[in-house]
């Protein structure tokens, strides 16, 4: 994760109906931070259009790291985990609360950045950070990151960080057997199933299919399988060899012939259901 905030954010919270205000790290309100959060929207809060344009590249990088990604916050002074859906692992950091209203992050003892808590309710959170241009210029802007708490009961009772659906991330160190490849594909599909449902129940307004791990083509009302993943597909990062990739594609192709795409009230739920159904039939 990339943070561009200074070590201490002094920002205005007057626009929020219930601004967050805590003066002690032992305040019970901080328990509301614990859990999994989907970042549903990131915007620059500025009345200066020229300033927004100056920050465009920085904002793009922040969106790549956070928007439509999930963070998990443990108890204060424990690990913060930043999830990137097409990565081979996690980025874990420590976090601590600094009165008033700041969350500071560090990795391996080195400071990484800081957010200011603008608003915190049971299921919603707004974090602010200051952006500065990459050339070190004097300009700055405030970036608002809006989060929705993920309700695990609505996503099959599973946490997105459950080891049972994340063990496939490290690339294997040798060729895998047919059974091992099937198990790997099942876990990858189940992860995408949980992630897509997390998007839907977090009220995210869109889905970025580039964040999904499978070599699929996504249509309005259907999903197709690529003939072969190209070098830009994250799918290829999770297999040891070209031979294993080819066998995995063959397993998926056979599964496609057994699954019927099910219509749902929302295309996001259709994608999720297809992932689950395909995971159930591949062998």
């Amino acid at each position: 994760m990339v943070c561009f905030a200074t070590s201490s954010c002094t920002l205005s919270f007057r626009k929020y109906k219930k601004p967050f205000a805590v003066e002690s790290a032992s305040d019970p309100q901080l328990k509301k931070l614990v859990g999994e959060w989907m970042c549903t929207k990131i915007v620059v809060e500025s009345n200066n259009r020229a300033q927004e344009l100056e920050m465009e590249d920085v904002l793009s990088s922040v969106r790549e790291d956070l928007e439509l990604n999930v963070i998990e916050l443990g108890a204060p002074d424990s690990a913060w985990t930043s999830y990137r859906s097409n990565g081979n692992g996690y980025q874990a950091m420590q976090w601590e609360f600094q009165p008033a209203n700041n969350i500071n992050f560090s990795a391996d003892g080195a400071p990484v950045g800081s957010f200011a808590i603008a608003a915190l309710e049971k299921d919603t959170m707004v974090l602010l950070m200051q952006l500065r241009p990459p050339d070190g210029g004097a300009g700055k802007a405030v970036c608002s990151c809006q989060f929705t708490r993920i309700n695990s009961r609505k996503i099959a009772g599973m946490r997105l960080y459950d080891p049972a659906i994340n063990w496939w991330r490290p690339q294997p160190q040798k060729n895998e057997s047919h059974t091992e490849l099937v198990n790997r594909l099942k876990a990858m599909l189940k992860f995408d199933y949980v992630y897509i449902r997390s998007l839907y129940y977090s009220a995210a307004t869109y889905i970025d299919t580039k964040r999904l791990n499978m070599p699929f083509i996504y249509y309005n009302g259907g999903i197709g399988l690529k003939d072969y993943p190209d070098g830009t597909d994250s799918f290829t990062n999770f297999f040891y060899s070209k031979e294993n990739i080819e066998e995995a594609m063959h397993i998926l192709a056979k599964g496609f012939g057994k699954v019927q795409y099910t219509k749902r009230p929302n295309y996001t739920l259709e994608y999720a259901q297809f992932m689950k159904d395909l995971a159930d039939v591949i062998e």
Side-chain angles (χ1 to χ4, degrees), residues 15-281:
K15 64 174 289 185
Y16 299 99
K17 293 180 180 179
K18 294 183 179 180
F20 186 79
V22 169
E23 296 298 331
S24 168
S26 61
D27 193 299
Q29 286 192 72
L30 290 176
K31 293 180 180 179
K32 295 179 183 178
L33 288 168
V34 176
E36 289 187 327
W37 298 87
M38 173 73 72
C39 183
T40 55
K41 188 176 183 180
I42 294 179
V43 296
V44 170
E45 298 189 345
S46 172
N47 295 322
N48 187 327
R49 179 56 180 162
Q51 188 180 65
E52 289 184 26
L53 292 173
E54 183 183 12
M55 297 293 176
E56 201 167 81
D57 289 344
V58 178
L59 182 61
S60 176
S61 178
V62 173
R63 282 196 171 118
E64 175 66 22
D65 275 337
L66 280 179
E67 196 166 78
L68 299 190
N69 277 339
V70 174
I71 63 172
E72 181 178 45
L73 288 171
D77 299 320
S78 68
W80 145 299
T81 305
S82 175
Y83 155 67
R84 299 191 70 166
S85 62
N86 57 353
N88 285 89
Y90 301 106
Q91 184 174 18
M93 300 183 188
Q94 299 298 114
W95 72 275
E96 64 177 0
F97 177 75
Q98 178 184 341
N101 293 49
N102 286 299
I103 306 179
N104 294 335
F105 298 95
S106 61
D108 299 323
V112 175
S114 176
F115 285 99
I117 308 170
L120 178 63
E121 297 297 325
K122 179 181 178 182
D123 296 317
T124 59
M125 173 172 67
V126 179
L127 302 181
L128 305 181
M129 62 178 169
Q130 292 178 341
L131 302 181
R132 295 187 182 277
D135 60 5
K140 62 182 179 180
V142 175
C143 179
S144 170
C145 307
Q146 301 173 28
F147 291 84
T148 300
R149 186 186 299 278
I150 295 176
N151 186 337
S152 63
R153 288 176 295 180
K154 293 182 178 180
I155 53 172
M158 299 186 72
R159 292 171 51 251
L160 202 61
Y161 293 94
D162 189 327
I165 56 172
N166 282 277
W167 61 264
W168 50 269
R169 290 187 177 278
Q171 189 177 46
Q173 299 302 302
K174 62 180 180 62
N175 275 318
E176 294 185 305
S177 68
H178 180 87
T179 299
E180 288 172 325
L181 290 172
V182 169
N183 290 336
R184 177 174 294 274
L185 291 170
K186 283 180 178 289
M188 294 174 72
L189 288 163
K190 288 177 181 176
F191 179 89
D192 280 354
Y193 166 70
V194 175
Y195 171 66
I196 295 171
R197 286 180 67 88
S198 297
L199 283 172
Y200 178 79
Y201 288 109
S202 299
T205 57
Y206 72 103
I207 179 172
D208 182 358
T209 57
K210 295 193 298 293
R211 295 193 183 279
L212 304 177
N213 300 293
M214 305 308 294
F216 297 163
I217 305 170
Y218 298 89
Y219 304 101
N220 183 7
I223 291 179
L225 178 66
K226 294 181 179 180
D227 292 332
Y228 191 83
D230 59 38
T232 63
D233 276 298
S234 62
F235 181 76
T236 61
N237 298 330
F238 305 109
F239 299 89
Y240 179 75
S241 66
K242 180 180 178 181
E243 291 74 23
N244 270 183
I245 294 172
E246 290 174 347
E247 186 171 358
M249 293 295 293
H250 180 67
I251 293 168
L252 291 173
K254 287 181 63 178
F256 261 69
K258 301 177 183 178
V259 177
Q260 184 174 357
Y261 189 85
T262 305
K263 298 297 291 183
R264 296 283 178 177
N266 181 281
Y267 78 95
T268 308
L269 291 179
E270 292 174 3
Y271 289 172
Q273 188 62 45
F274 183 84
M275 300 292 185
K276 181 179 183 299
D277 292 345
L278 185 58
D280 288 342
V281 302

